[in-house]
């Protein structure tokens, strides 16, 4: 199979990730629940993973790293900490449902910083207007999961600092692919999944915290057990119940892979594949695709459409030839509304460190036949 759906999940994992998951299942129990070797091994591994994330993403302390089930879980914690019911919130026109649905549930007043695709200056102006209009929180994706568009998160963060408005960054499509520094952004929260650019297993995620936080669920933490309120310190305040120890062990190995390989190297590899894909698509009639003129504004994610064919038909035809892509709205109707690709959406390619140039060539040959 040719796997070009890494924006959903990086299916190909480093061998060390699989080994770490199995090793944890064989040697580790629950952290904080005992002083015997199996519990201590789990506790040491969790601390190592927190420390590694803290190093990679510019945190002051490993305790600022909370483990979550995924980025959606992390975003829900951040949003429901900062946004009051009916509160005014500024978001980009490229947000995922992991942001917009919690805001809808809170009946929040959502101000959208609309801007054309790849127009960084206009989206910064849109956020400035939203903040001036009284937005109390800013929530912004770092990279569009549909178009690979890299939003100017540093400039948006500067606006938030100047106005003293807390910022939540959805790093679902940037963690492990682009540099990301908590201290530099001075964000209140950064949410990320473990199973995408960090090459960990599904069911893992991280919430990086520099703001007081409210727990989404309550329960046992292995600490302060006499108290009926959740502990007031991180990470225990956010980590009720038993940890996904084997999953976190895999995430720890994925972070080690990112550190040893290098984020810049992974990004260069994806850029080479993206450029090669664009050269192919330019030669196929009846293909529309969305590519930034400046390569610095796009990750290894590309959306396209075939004239006269639904995105789902194209995706299914590619799947019959052993090529995995994603079609439709990608859980991001805001992005498709902004670009004008509703209601059918697009076909999306997304690369990883394991994607290969010869796979791009095979995809292009197959797509040419499908388009004809």
């Amino acid at each position: 199979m040719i796997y070009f759906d890494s924006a959903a999940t990086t299916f190909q994992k480093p061998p060390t990730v699989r080994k770490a998951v199995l090793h944890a299942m064989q040697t580790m129990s629950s952290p904080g629940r005992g002083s015997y070797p199996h519990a201590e091994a789990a506790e040491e591994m969790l601390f190592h993973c927190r420390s590694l994330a803290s190093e990679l993403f510019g945190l002051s302390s490993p305790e600022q790293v909370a483990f979550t089930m995924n980025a959606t879980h992390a975003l829900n914690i951040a949003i429901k900490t900062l946004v009051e019911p009916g509160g005014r919130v500024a978001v980009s026109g490229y947000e995922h449902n992991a942001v917009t649905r919690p805001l809808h549930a809170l009946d929040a007043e959502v101000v959208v910083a609309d801007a054309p695709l790849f127009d960084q200056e206009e989206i910064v102006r849109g956020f400035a207007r939203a903040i001036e209009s009284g937005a109390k929180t800013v929530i912004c994706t770092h990279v569009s999961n549909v178009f690979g568009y890299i939003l100017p998160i540093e400039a948006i963060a500067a606006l938030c600092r100047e106005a003293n408005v807390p910022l939540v960054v959805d790093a679902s499509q940037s963690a492990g692919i682009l540099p990301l520094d908590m201290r530099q952004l001075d964000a209140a929260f950064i949410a990320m999944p473990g199973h995408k650019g960090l090459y960990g297993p599904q069911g893992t995620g991280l919430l990086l915290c520099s703001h007081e936080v409210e727990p989404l669920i309550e329960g046992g933490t292995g600490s302060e057990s006499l108290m009926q309120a959740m502990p007031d310190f991180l990470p225990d305040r956010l980590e009720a119940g038993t940890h996904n120890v084997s999953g976190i062990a895999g995430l720890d190995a994925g972070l080690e892979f990112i550190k040893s390989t290098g984020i810049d190297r992974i990004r260069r590899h994806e850029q080479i594949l993206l450029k090669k894909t664009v050269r192919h698509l330019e030669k196929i009639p009846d293909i529309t695709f969305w590519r930034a003129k400046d390569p610095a504004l796009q990750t290894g994610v590309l959306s396209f459409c075939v004239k006269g064919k639904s995105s789902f038909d194209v995706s299914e035809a590619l799947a019959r030839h052993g090529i995995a892509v994603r079609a439709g709205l990608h859980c991001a109707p805001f992005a498709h509304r902004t670009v004008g690709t509703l209601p059918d959406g697009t076909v999306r390619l997304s690369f990883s460190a394991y994607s290969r140039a010869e796979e791009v060539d095979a995809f292009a040959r197959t797509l040419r036949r499908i388009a004809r």
Side-chain angles (χ1 to χ4, degrees):
M1 179 180 65
I2 295 173
Y3 188 82
F4 286 164
D5 194 23
S6 295
T9 292
T10 47
F11 179 72
Q12 297 120 319
K13 308 290 186 184
T16 51
V17 171
R18 295 192 295 272
K19 291 177 182 177
V21 171
L22 181 59
H23 178 71
M25 294 180 73
Q26 293 172 328
T27 64
M28 298 178 193
S29 62
S30 292
R33 269 63 168 183
S35 57
Y36 51 91
H38 299 76
E40 289 181 343
E43 195 157 343
E44 289 171 5
M45 182 275 295
L46 260 66
F47 183 75
H48 182 269
C49 188
R50 292 189 213 275
S51 300
L52 194 50
S54 177
E55 176 188 348
L56 286 171
F57 303 119
L59 280 82
S60 302
S61 166
E63 282 72 28
Q64 292 175 265
V65 179
F67 294 116
T68 62
M69 295 183 291
N70 43 51
T72 299
H73 179 200
L75 285 164
N76 268 264
I77 294 171
I79 290 168
K80 289 167 185 176
T81 292
L82 293 173
V83 181
E84 297 179 354
R88 180 175 287 190
V89 182
V91 303
S92 80
Y94 297 91
E95 298 307 315
H96 191 278
N97 280 342
V99 167
T100 59
R101 283 181 171 171
L103 292 176
H104 177 79
L106 289 167
D107 197 26
E109 182 183 351
V110 178
V111 182
V112 181
D114 274 323
L117 187 62
F118 305 123
D119 189 337
Q120 292 200 323
E121 292 183 1
E122 181 56 33
I123 203 164
V124 172
R125 286 193 289 267
F127 273 108
R129 288 191 295 268
I131 292 171
E132 289 169 3
S133 74
K136 302 301 183 184
T137 307
V138 168
I139 307 171
C140 187
T141 186
H142 192 180
V143 174
S144 166
N145 71 309
V146 180
F147 300 102
Y149 169 30
I150 303 171
L151 279 73
I153 200 68
E154 293 84 3
I156 295 165
L159 290 174
C160 292
R161 281 195 300 273
E162 184 178 350
N164 197 29
V165 172
L167 169 66
V168 178
V169 178
D170 179 359
S172 295
Q173 300 296 330
S174 62
I177 299 165
L178 297 175
L180 194 60
D181 191 291
M182 186 78 163
R183 283 187 292 259
Q184 179 183 351
L185 293 176
D186 195 24
F189 299 103
I190 300 178
M192 60 186 68
H195 66 103
K196 298 186 182 186
L198 301 183
Y199 294 89
Q202 292 101 321
T204 60
L206 300 173
L207 181 63
L208 314 182
C209 308
S210 67
H211 190 283
E212 291 183 4
V213 62
E214 292 299 322
L216 194 64
I217 58 174
E218 292 81 24
T221 60
S223 61
E224 304 290 347
S225 294
L226 193 60
M227 293 173 53
Q228 287 304 286
M230 287 294 287
D232 61 0
F233 54 87
L234 289 172
D236 296 41
R237 186 161 179 76
L238 297 180
E239 294 182 3
T242 301
H243 291 83
N244 177 8
V245 172
S246 55
I248 295 169
L251 175 57
D252 184 49
L255 291 172
E256 288 283 11
F257 170 76
I258 295 296
K259 181 180 177 181
S260 61
T261 304
I263 288 175
D264 290 343
R265 182 180 172 189
I266 293 171
R267 174 147 168 73
R268 284 195 301 271
H269 174 69
E270 292 189 6
Q271 287 295 306
I272 289 169
L273 297 181
L274 184 64
K275 186 175 180 180
K276 187 178 184 65
T277 303
V278 167
R279 287 200 300 266
H280 279 303
L281 294 183
E282 287 174 336
K283 298 173 184 176
I284 303 176
D286 297 327
I287 298 284
T288 300
F289 61 92
W290 287 265
R291 171 68 162 132
K293 292 181 180 178
D294 181 356
L297 301 185
Q298 191 170 9
T299 62
V301 175
L302 185 75
S303 269
F304 70 92
C305 293
V306 179
K307 184 178 179 181
K309 298 182 184 292
S310 80
S311 62
F312 295 99
D313 287 344
V314 173
S315 173
E316 289 170 3
L318 287 166
R320 288 194 293 271
H321 289 84
I323 301 171
V325 297
R326 185 173 176 187
L329 300 183
H330 315 92
C331 298
F334 272 45
H336 289 282
R337 185 201 65 189
T338 298
V339 178
T341 47
L342 291 174
D344 190 51
T346 62
V347 184
R348 183 188 69 189
L349 297 175
S350 48
F351 304 120
S352 78
Y354 289 94
S355 305
R356 303 192 306 274
E358 57 268 29
E359 293 177 324
V360 172
D361 295 334
F363 155 77
R365 289 193 297 269
T366 304
L367 181 62
R368 183 180 292 273
R369 291 197 297 271
I370 291 169
R372 282 204 297 260

